[in-house]
């Protein structure tokens, strides 16, 4: 009797870390529901993964700032409970808080936080009833300290991190794992669009999306609550969590002061 294939749902799947999750999960034998705003990119990825791995890949075109899109996707998670939900969709806002468009910053919170919470809420009852499942919430080291000129993005990721840690504890006595993934600077189209100048950044400090996902999936197999990929990032996380707050704020302000003041969408 053939083994039933596992199902993974990945948001922000059209590029970057989300795409790397889709590719690696398909290679591991998962069927997929891949979610992003760009139908063209999703269709191309679905064909590629199907041909390469024999995976059944369903596309779900959605803008997670839109209530109907979130509700429709939540309905899918109710009716077809995944073995793994990867909340990877998100975007950032760089610049002085009062100079950035308020509506877009609220949109950032809706995508980075509200949609993630709603989708996690949608799939947990089914996972608990079945007695198995996992959720990976893609946060960021940017959420480990207040970051001037990146205030709302950092705050959104801080919320994701706190939410994921708390949920892990609530579900500790169940068969459900919630992982908080905290990558640092990663070589993705998102980072390139941000205009981040990596010329003077040591190579060891820039992660590859495939390496980030490999680390996350390895940590998931161990049932770990958190994953900080890369030795340099783990050191940075330790420093961020232990240094005095005044020093943390000062360093963050200095490093972000010259970031471009524009809104950057995540995987499309």
């Amino acid at each position: 009797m053939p083994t039933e294939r596992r199902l993974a749902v990945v948001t922000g799947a059209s590029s970057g870390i989300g795409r790397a999750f889709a590719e690696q999960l398909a290679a591991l034998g998962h069927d997929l529901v891949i979610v992003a705003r760009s139908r063209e990119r999703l269709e191309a990825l679905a064909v590629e993964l199907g041909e390469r791995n024999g995976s059944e890949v369903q596309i779900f075109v959605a803008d997670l700032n839109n209530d109907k899109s979130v509700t429709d996707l939540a309905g899918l998670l109710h009716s077809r409970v995944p073995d793994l939900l990867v909340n990877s969709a998100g975007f950032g806002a760089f610049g002085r808080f009062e100079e950035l468009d308020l509506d877009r910053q609220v949109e950032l919170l809706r995508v980075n936080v509200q949609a993630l919470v709603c989708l996690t809420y949608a799939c947990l009852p089914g996972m608990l009833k079945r007695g198995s499942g996992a959720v990976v919430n893609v946060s960021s080291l940017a959420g480990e300290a207040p970051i001037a000129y990146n205030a709302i993005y950092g705050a959104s990721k801080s919320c994701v991190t706190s939410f994921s840690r708390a949920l892990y504890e609530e579900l500790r006595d169940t068969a459900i794992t919630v992982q908080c993934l905290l990558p640092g600077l990663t070589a993705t189209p998102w980072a390139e669009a941000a205009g981040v100048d990596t010329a003077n950044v040591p190579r060891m400090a820039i992660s590859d999306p495939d390496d980030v996902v490999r680390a996350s999936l390895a940590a998931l197999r161990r049932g770990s609550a958190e994953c900080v990929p890369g030795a340099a990032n783990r050191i940075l996380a330790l420093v961020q969590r232990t240094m005095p707050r005044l020093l943390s704020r000062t360093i963050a302000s200095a490093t972000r002061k010259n970031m471009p003041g524009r809104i950057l969408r995540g995987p499309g």
Side-chain angles (χ1 to χ4, degrees):
M1 184 175 179
T3 303
E4 185 177 352
R5 293 173 66 91
R6 294 164 292 174
L7 174 67
V9 176
V10 182
T11 70
S14 62
S15 66
I17 291 173
R19 182 185 176 102
F21 265 112
E23 291 174 339
Q24 292 188 35
L25 289 168
L28 290 170
H30 285 71
D31 289 331
L32 295 164
V33 177
I34 51 176
V35 183
R37 290 173 296 137
S38 171
R39 177 178 297 275
E40 183 179 355
R41 291 183 183 181
L42 288 177
E43 289 177 344
L45 179 59
V47 170
E48 179 182 334
L49 296 179
E51 292 177 347
R52 186 193 306 166
N53 304 291
S55 300
E56 177 186 319
V57 183
Q58 176 182 348
I59 71 167
F60 194 100
V61 180
D63 182 344
L64 297 184
N65 177 54
N66 181 281
D67 285 341
K68 185 178 185 306
S69 290
V70 174
T71 299
D72 289 348
L73 182 54
L76 175 64
L77 295 174
H78 276 301
S79 63
R80 191 181 179 194
V81 181
D83 298 278
L84 172 62
L85 169 64
V86 179
N87 285 307
S88 182
F91 68 97
F94 299 92
R96 292 181 61 95
F97 169 72
E98 79 280 7
E99 294 177 356
L100 294 172
D101 181 75
L102 178 60
D103 288 342
R104 295 288 279 173
Q105 294 192 80
V106 171
E107 179 183 346
L108 182 155
L109 292 172
R110 288 165 63 88
V111 174
N112 291 15
V113 179
Q114 181 175 311
L116 178 147
V117 169
C118 290
L119 298 179
T120 302
Y121 187 88
C123 71
L124 279 182
M127 288 182 175
L128 287 165
K129 182 178 181 180
R130 186 181 57 210
S132 65
V135 178
V136 174
N137 290 328
V138 180
S139 186
S140 170
L141 288 181
E144 291 295 287
I147 300 180
Y149 308 99
N150 202 9
I152 298 299
Y153 176 77
S156 74
K157 292 304 183 180
S158 180
C159 181
V160 170
T161 297
S162 180
F163 168 68
S164 301
R165 288 169 176 166
L167 201 54
Y168 177 89
E169 293 301 326
E170 289 185 20
L171 298 169
R172 180 184 286 275
D173 295 329
T174 73
I176 313 303
T177 298
V178 176
Q179 180 196 105
C180 183
L181 175 59
L182 296 131
L185 182 60
T186 305
T188 66
W190 190 98
E192 293 170 6
V196 177
D197 184 2
T198 60
N200 296 317
V201 179
R203 288 187 62 84
M204 67 177 295
I206 305 175
S207 301
D208 180 83
D210 289 328
D211 293 336
V212 168
V213 172
R214 274 191 287 269
S216 173
L217 294 178
L220 195 62
R221 287 190 288 272
R222 299 192 298 268
S224 301
E226 293 185 21
C227 176
V228 180
N233 287 328
R234 286 190 288 274
I235 294 170
L236 176 59
L238 179 62
V239 170
Q240 287 178 318
R241 292 167 184 176
T242 58
M243 74 168 59
R245 289 184 180 180
L246 176 60
L247 179 58
S248 173
R249 291 197 303 268
T250 302
I251 292 174
S253 176
T255 57
R256 289 290 181 179
K257 196 168 185 178
N258 295 317
M259 289 298 292
R262 61 174 184 257
I263 298 287
L264 304 164
R265 288 307 303 255

